[in-house]
């Protein structure tokens, strides 16, 4: 498992380095989006590919097996006996914490939608927030400041921008990255990708 994680981290690092060197400043947003999403799949898929090589055994050659006998004293405590359990427990705790955090954020979004005034605008729903927030989108919900909206202080370009995010389903990207982060919470490159 450790070898897989190291290989996937190296693959992700190479793909992110390529992105930052050659694609980050480009204006092709849709292609960059799919590159970053496919980066995750490629980085975690490549280490799963195995190569099999066959060794031809020459007749008459002898293979010598060497065995080592180790005697364990049943009274001695060996950390190596418990290390896998400890590591899996730490990993499981991290997954639990990040999954709980993810669910709490989804519930907060749901509560924002239910507690604030909403205005349907074609296929989009504007959620008028009392908080001073910058406009953002979650699926077809566009969260904006109520005071700025009623005073018509929000430029039309901002609405177009947020509607584009909603129409292109960018929330699915965010949810996908969040789920990957739950599983690979210990990998610092996931935070850079995010």
């Amino acid at each position: 498992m450790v070898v897989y994680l190291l290989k996937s981290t190296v693959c992700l690092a190479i793909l992110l380095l390529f992105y930052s060197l050659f694609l980050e400043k480009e204006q092709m947003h849709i292609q960059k989006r799919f590159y970053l999403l496919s980066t995750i799949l490629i980085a975690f898929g490549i280490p799963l590919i195995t190569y099999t090589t066959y060794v031809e055994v020459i007749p008459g050659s002898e293979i010598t097996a060497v065995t080592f006998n180790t005697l364990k004293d049943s009274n001695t405590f060996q950390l190596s006996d418990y290390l896998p359990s400890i590591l899996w427990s730490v990993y499981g705790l991290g997954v639990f914490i990040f999954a709980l955090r993810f669910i709490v954020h989804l519930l907060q979004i749901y509560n924002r939608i239910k507690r604030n005034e909403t205005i349907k605008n074609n296929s989009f729903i504007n959620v008028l927030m009392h908080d001073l927030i910058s406009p953002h989108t979650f699926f077809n919900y566009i969260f904006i400041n109520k005071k700025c909206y009623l005073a018509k202080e929000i430029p039309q370009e901002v609405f177009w921008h947020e509607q584009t995010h909603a129409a292109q389903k960018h929330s699915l990207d965010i949810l996908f990255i969040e789920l990957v982060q739950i599983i690979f919470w210990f990998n610092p490159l996931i935070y850079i990708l995010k």
Side-chain angles (χ1 to χ4, degrees):
M1 183 71 170
V2 173
V3 174
Y4 169 77
L5 294 174
L6 290 173
K7 287 179 180 179
S8 63
T9 301
V10 168
C11 290
L12 188 59
I14 291 168
L15 293 168
L16 287 176
L17 180 65
F18 178 83
Y19 176 81
S20 66
L21 291 176
F22 300 109
L23 299 175
E24 192 169 29
K25 294 184 176 132
E26 298 297 324
Q27 294 298 317
M28 45 189 193
H29 300 294
I30 295 174
Q31 290 85 354
K32 286 174 23 177
R33 173 187 178 197
F34 285 111
Y35 176 82
L36 289 172
L37 289 173
S38 62
T39 293
I40 295 170
L41 299 175
I42 292 168
F44 293 113
I46 285 178
L48 296 175
I49 298 171
T50 57
Y51 297 99
T52 306
T53 56
Y54 296 98
V55 177
E56 186 176 329
V57 178
I58 302 170
S61 64
E62 294 182 24
I63 299 174
T64 306
V66 179
T67 60
F68 296 98
N69 288 329
T70 57
L71 298 174
K72 280 189 178 179
D73 184 6
S74 60
N75 295 330
T76 60
F77 171 76
Q78 297 261 339
L79 180 61
S80 62
D81 294 341
Y82 298 102
L83 189 59
S85 298
I86 293 169
L87 292 177
W88 279 110
S89 298
V90 170
Y91 172 74
L93 180 64
V95 168
F96 175 76
I97 290 170
F98 278 86
L100 185 65
R101 178 182 151 271
F102 176 69
I103 292 168
V104 166
H105 286 168
L106 287 179
L107 290 173
Q108 287 173 342
I109 292 170
Y110 176 77
N111 286 334
R112 286 182 192 158
I113 293 169
K114 291 298 175 197
R115 291 183 180 162
N116 291 290
E117 181 182 351
T118 57
I119 298 174
K120 187 156 176 62
N121 181 11
N122 297 327
S123 62
F124 307 105
I125 299 171
N126 294 330
V127 180
L128 306 180
M129 305 283 297
H130 294 288
D131 302 334
L132 189 58
I133 57 163
S134 59
H136 59 280
T137 306
F138 187 73
F139 287 104
N140 289 343
Y141 293 96
I142 300 173
F143 297 88
I144 50 178
N145 179 265
K146 182 175 184 175
K147 182 180 174 186
C148 294
Y149 177 80
L150 295 176
K152 300 196 185 297
E153 295 174 353
I154 301 173
Q156 185 61 39
E157 292 81 14
V158 172
F159 285 106
W160 292 337
H161 178 83
E162 295 304 326
Q163 288 171 357
T164 301
H165 279 290
Q168 293 180 353
K169 307 284 189 246
H170 283 207
S171 298
L172 290 175
D173 301 352
I174 293 169
L175 289 176
F176 177 67
I177 296 291
E178 288 290 331
L179 291 174
V180 169
Q181 184 181 16
I182 290 170
I183 298 167
F184 296 103
W185 59 267
F186 52 86
N187 189 337
L189 294 177
I190 296 297
Y191 301 93
I192 294 170
L193 179 68
K194 187 177 172 181

